[in-house]
Every structure is written in C-alpha cells, then in structure tokens.
Amino acid sequence: MKFVLVTGGVVSGLGKGVTASSVGVVLKACGLRVTSIKIDPYLNTDAGTMSPFEHGEVFVLDDGGEVDLDLGNYERFLDVTLTRDNNITTGKIYQSVLEKERRGNYLGKTVQVVPHITDAIKNWIESVAAIPVDGKEGPADVCVIELGGTVGDIESMPFIEALRQLSFSVGQDNFCLIHVSLIPVLGVVGEQKTKPTQHSVRELRALGLTPHLLACRSAQVHLSPYLLPTCMWEGKGWQNFGFGIFYIDTNHFLDCGLDAAIYCAAQPLLANTKEKLSQFCHVPIANILNIHDVPNIWHIPLLLRTAIICFSIAAPSDLQAWTKMAETYDNITNSVRIAMVGKYVGLTDSYLSVVKALLHACIACSLKPSIDWIAASDLEDDSANLTPEAHAAAWETLRNAECVLVPGGFGDRGVKGMILAAKYARENNVPYLGICLGMQISVIEFARSVLGLERANSSEFDTESPDNVVIFMPEGSRTHMGSTMRLGSRKTIFQTHDCLSSKLYCNPEYVDERHRHRYEVNPEVIGALEEAGLKFVGKDETGKRMEILELPGHPYYVGSQFHPEFKSRPGRPSPMFLDKRGDKGDREGYLPCVAVIKFIEFFFPSLHLDMQATSQDEASECV
C-alpha cells in the first residue's frame, strides 16, 4: 500500500479536496486502484450536527455516515463508494481511545497523546485503507489522505505526528506528501510573494514532514477591459498565451473599439519564484506545480497529470475520456436557468452535491446550468414590507426560471417562501423538483391549496396544528441529534411503471438512494391527497413511508424523500435531475423522456433514436 498525503498551508479554502480527488483520478487512470481518507481535526464525532453555514453541506454515504463534503468530491471523481470510517475526526479518535481506557485495554498505563492517540490514528488509517471501495476484492494500491485545516493548527498536531510516524514505518518509497499553498500577489507591488509558503513548509518540516511536491495556488489579477493584439486570440474561451491563462470574450466592448476583453487572469508562477521556493522549501523545481484557476474543476487532473507521472508515482495515464468531458463542458453554449429556492443560499457549498448533480445532468443534455440562488425568506409576504427590493428581485428571478428546485433543510426559517415557490411551479406548469424537505413542502402546499386545509403543516414547524400532513418518524430520537435520523441507502419500491420517475430510472422494480430525514409524510392523509390528484409512486419496503410523489398532468412536478444528488456522477447523472425544462414547443409534458433520449445519444452516438415523437408514450417507447 502506498500513501499520498495532501496538506494545506497559509489559508484554508485553497482546494485541497479537489487536489486530492484529482490526484486520485490521475492514479486511477494509470491503472491503479485508489481509496481516499479525509481527516478533520475538529472535536465533533461527525459532520451531522454542524450548520451548513459553518461547514458546508453534510454528505451522506451508503452506510449512513454523515461526513465532510470532500468525501462527496472523492466519490464523484473516483466513482467509489466510501464508508463513514473514511472520514476521521478528532472526536472519533478520542472516543475510541477513551472507550478502550474504560474497558481496561491499556492495562493500567497512563494514556497519552503519544503514543496512544497517534497509534489509534495510524491503526485507523491502515485498517480503513485496506477496505476495498471500488467493488473489487482486496485492498487498493494507493490511499490518498487529505489533512483538513492548515499546517500549524493546534488541533491537527496529533495527526501530523501520526502521519510522520506512518511515513517512517511504510518507507520513503511508499509515502508522498503534496503541500497545497498560496502564492499571493500584492496589488501595489505586483510581485509574487513566496514568504507565506516558505513559513508554511518550514513549519511542516519542523514537525518532521518534508513535501515532495508543492501545489501552488496563485492569486487572480483582474484586468477588465484590456486590449490584446488580434493575433493572440481566437474567439471566446480560456486560452494560454505563455504568460498567463486568460478568459477572452470577443462579444463585449466592441463599441469601445477593443478587439477582446479579459475578465480575469490567473498569474502563473514565474521562474524566479519557483527557484526561490525550491531553494527555501527543499523541493525540486520540477516538483513545484502551478494550480491556476480553470474554467471547470475537471481540468485539475489534467494539470496534475504530467507532474505526477514525472515524479514516477505511476505509469503513463489514460485520461482521454476525462479530457473529452472537460472540453465538452467548455464548448457548450446553451444554458438552462434553474431557480434554487433554499435556506442556506448565502454559502453555495451548503448545496454542493445538488449543484454537481445539476451539472452532471445538464452536460448529459448538452446544457450549462445557470443557477439563480433565491433565499426562500425573500419570497415571503413579510419580506415585501421589510425588504421590498429583495422581495421583488426574488420573485422576478423565480418567474424567469425555466424550472424550480427546493432542496433539503431543517427548521422553519424560509418555509413560507418555499411553499409559495412550490405553489407557483404547480399552478404555472413550471417543472419542479423537491428534495427531502422540498418534497414535504409540496405536500403541505397541496394540502393547503387543493384540500383546503389552511393550517396544514409539518410537526417540525407547528406542533399544535390539527392538520399536520408531515410528522416526526416514530423511530426517531427527540433527545439526541447526532446520527439519529433515517440515514443511508435504502430501497424505494415503485408502485407503478406508468410514471415519470420510473421511466427516468429505466423502469426498475426499485432503486437504492440515500436518505437523511427525521420527518415523513403522514400516512393518515395519503388517501385524501391521492384522491385529490397527488400520486405517491414510490414507497419504502413497508409500503407505509412515502418516497416519491408526482402530480399527473403537470409537465414535471416531482418530490423525493431521498437525496438523489448523493449518487450522481460525471457521465452517470442522477435520473431525477435530467433536463426538467418546460419546453415551449409541442413536446411540453414529456421532456424528461426526451432528456433520457438525449442522455443515451450523448454517450452512444452510434444509436439513432427518434426525437420527433409526438406523444409521451412514443417518447417512452424510444427510450
């Protein structure tokens, strides 16, 4: 087993997770089997009780693990299925050591950070690294480990010491350290500054670890507008002129007499900068990488490919499919406007998997997602009085969207706005997808507007309502919050194949999707809802818990209690996200089926499917 450790310095948020995932992609393309581990030095046992504003989304695994969002990156990039043990936290390590101490496993010894905590960390890493995550037997060839935070953080010290010991025990030939750092450029001087990275590497070396590669993130320089000779550019897009990576748009500033406009430039590392870094950081110049900004993150493995192979980590890689995917996205010109009505829109990482699932689906349909973020509270009537401009802007954005998506969340803030968004989509035939809370919102709205239950609500928001159509699940805990929800991959049984959801999934008997919820649709109101027209086409194995709802006669009005975004992959998008635009032409009403046809033709161009079907049944037959 070989280990690749990715650490970060200077500041957080440099892209360690994407770098670690991209390294895994390159190694996998070289024919190696790869697994991943994320180390989070915080004291929480897992990410399940953390606010999305604090830490981004909580990613859910098949085994029900609530983990850091970087594990979602690993799964999407590497197409693997990780476990909760692939996310190590300080809380888990100390909990395991203290449990052993209480059982008397240490035979009366004084329990200390070294060796007991560090040994626990090493043992955890080595045991988890041996677990296959790609569906094959036997351990992986390489384990990519990402250490969260930045070098020098107090809470990460035990992990750094454990990793130092691990590097010594496995040997130099089996351990590679990649340090991701920032090379800032001061606006006044315009000079690339290496001192922050020097100090970061010095701190790392003082702790016993020396980087083999430096992945340097250079600051962006904004130069808009800027005149370039016409011989240096060809059309619109990202281009490398040897002195920088520029985004050129020939469609703007023509009235000003400019040939092209540069919106931003990611400044490359200069030769003298690399020389200085090499001299003071004890890293060869050839191993200093410039990880500049790119039009999409699928280009990052392509940036790392040459360096990793030159470092003799692996044999030449085959990244043709990955290259094609990255370039395909760059060349897409058509887009679709999607209104994302949520509670945590102030931090887009709160819905990272939803955004990625939309991206996967849109690319499969040769579209670029244009996501309009709408704070649900801005749609509410109270907002019209308190913040009229935000209220008007939110409604204008919603009305201009081609489809509406209401993702998951907890708490009553913004719920009224979500209900209004669901009502707007239902009454105006705008395609709607509700995920988890979004499905419950559509049930509440339907009960109020169609059944006439004015106080219809969820017991999460109003425990006193006589008409709670969403209730707390009986097996849930009201005293403990962590790991007490209905979590992980569970079966959803289709009740009929004559529904949009079943067709999008290619008519299976059931699907396995991941869940994370405490509340469910009240079984006592199912009969009344279905009599009024709302259909629950997917249920759990008991038949009592509602999983998928649809509104017949609507172009696309679907809700899922599960989270389909967690299993979406590049090249294999989640069916629930496939092109939900309400087509303005005569194919309106069966566009999801057309989306499946587009998806098949995208990956199997030799197949010729009939795109001119004149009914939903004909479109289904084509699929």
Side-chain angles (χ1 to χ4, degrees), residues 383-434:
S383 176
N385 299 323
L386 299 174
T387 54
E389 291 183 359
H391 179 77
W395 273 103
E396 182 180 3
T397 302
L398 183 65
R399 294 189 181 100
N400 290 333
E402 297 176 78
C403 47
V404 177
L405 194 155
V406 177
F410 298 92
D412 60 356
R413 183 177 59 82
V415 165
K416 293 179 181 178
M418 296 180 192
I419 292 174
L420 290 171
K423 182 177 182 180
Y424 169 81
R426 181 180 60 82
E427 293 180 342
N428 293 277
N429 286 333
V430 176
Y432 173 90
L433 175 61

Side-chain angles (χ1 to χ4, degrees), residues 228-469:
L228 278 180
T230 56
C231 61
M232 298 184 66
W233 55 268
E234 295 180 2
K236 177 180 179 179
W238 288 82
Q239 298 173 42
N240 189 342
F241 301 127
F243 57 86
I245 307 298
F246 298 92
Y247 186 82
I248 305 300
D249 189 347
T250 59
N251 298 323
H252 292 76
F253 302 102
L254 297 180
D255 294 337
C256 302
L258 299 180
D259 293 315
I262 301 180
Y263 286 127
C264 60
Q267 195 172 27
L269 290 180
L270 302 177
N272 65 329
T273 303
K274 286 190 174 183
E275 290 174 1
K276 189 179 293 186
L277 286 170
S278 177
Q279 180 180 6
F280 288 100
C281 298
H282 202 65
V283 176
I285 292 178
N287 295 346
I288 299 175
L289 317 177
N290 181 205
I291 310 298
H292 55 71
D293 291 344
V294 291
N296 68 74
I297 61 173
W298 293 335
H299 284 278
I300 301 298
L302 308 181
L303 293 178
L304 295 172
R305 170 177 50 188
T306 304
I308 291 178
I309 295 172
C310 290
F311 193 65
S312 300
I313 294 179
S317 59
D318 179 11
L319 283 169
Q320 292 183 359
W322 196 270
T323 303
K324 182 180 179 181
M325 181 173 63
E327 293 177 348
T328 297
Y329 177 79
D330 292 342
N331 295 326
I332 293 175
T333 56
N334 296 326
S335 64
V336 54
R337 296 193 65 176
I338 304 163
M340 184 88 77
V341 183
K343 298 165 62 71
Y344 318 115
V345 296
L347 181 66
T348 55
D349 273 359
S350 301
Y351 302 113
L352 183 63
S353 291
V354 177
V355 172
K356 298 303 181 185
L358 288 171
L359 176 63
H360 302 159
C362 285
I363 290 178
C365 299
S366 298
L367 294 166
K368 280 190 177 181
S370 177
I371 300 177
D372 294 323
W373 298 92
I374 301 176
S377 55
D378 288 343
L379 296 172
E380 298 175 0
D381 294 337
D382 292 342
S383 176
N385 299 323
L386 299 174
T387 54
E389 291 183 359
H391 179 77
W395 273 103
E396 182 180 3
T397 302
L398 183 65
R399 294 189 181 100
N400 290 333
E402 297 176 78
C403 47
V404 177
L405 194 155
V406 177
F410 298 92
D412 60 356
R413 183 177 59 82
V415 165
K416 293 179 181 178
M418 296 180 192
I419 292 174
L420 290 171
K423 182 177 182 180
Y424 169 81
R426 181 180 60 82
E427 293 180 342
N428 293 277
N429 286 333
V430 176
Y432 173 90
L433 175 61
I435 298 174
C436 196
L437 174 62
M439 169 182 163
Q440 297 170 6
I441 289 294
S442 60
V443 172
I444 295 171
E445 187 280 322
F446 191 87
R448 290 181 181 181
S449 302
V450 179
L451 295 184
L453 302 176
E454 295 182 0
R455 293 192 61 188
N457 215 325
S458 167
S459 59
E460 180 181 7
F461 316 133
D462 184 1
T463 57
E464 304 300 325
S465 172
D467 299 313
N468 275 330
V469 294

Side-chain angles (χ1 to χ4, degrees), residues 83-199:
T83 70
R84 68 179 74 221
D85 290 337
N86 289 84
N87 191 193
I88 304 175
T89 68
T90 299
K92 287 181 180 179
I93 295 296
Y94 273 81
Q95 186 178 48
S96 67
V97 169
L98 290 175
E99 287 176 352
K100 289 181 180 179
E101 188 275 331
R102 290 291 84 189
R103 290 196 301 265
N105 290 18
Y106 295 114
L107 302 176
K109 291 183 178 293
T110 301
V111 180
Q112 298 174 294
V113 173
V114 181
H116 300 100
I117 295 296
T118 53
D119 284 350
I121 294 170
K122 286 191 300 179
N123 293 337
W124 194 305
I125 290 174
E126 291 176 325
S127 62
V128 172
I131 299 174
V133 295
D134 55 3
K136 301 177 182 178
E137 295 184 358
D141 300 307
V142 183
C143 177
V144 180
I145 305 170
E146 178 193 350
L147 176 61
T150 57
V151 172
D153 292 343
I154 294 175
E155 58 264 30
S156 64
M157 292 300 180
F159 292 101
I160 291 179
E161 171 59 21
L163 291 164
R164 183 197 64 79
Q165 295 178 21
L166 178 67
S167 68
F168 181 76
S169 62
V170 301
Q172 292 184 353
D173 294 338
N174 296 313
F175 192 88
C176 174
L177 171 55
I178 302 175
H179 188 61
V180 184
S181 189
L182 176 69
I183 305 295
V185 178
L186 298 183
V188 177
V189 181
E191 179 186 1
Q192 293 178 341
K193 294 296 184 180
T194 64
K195 193 63 71 176
T197 298
Q198 290 181 39
H199 283 294

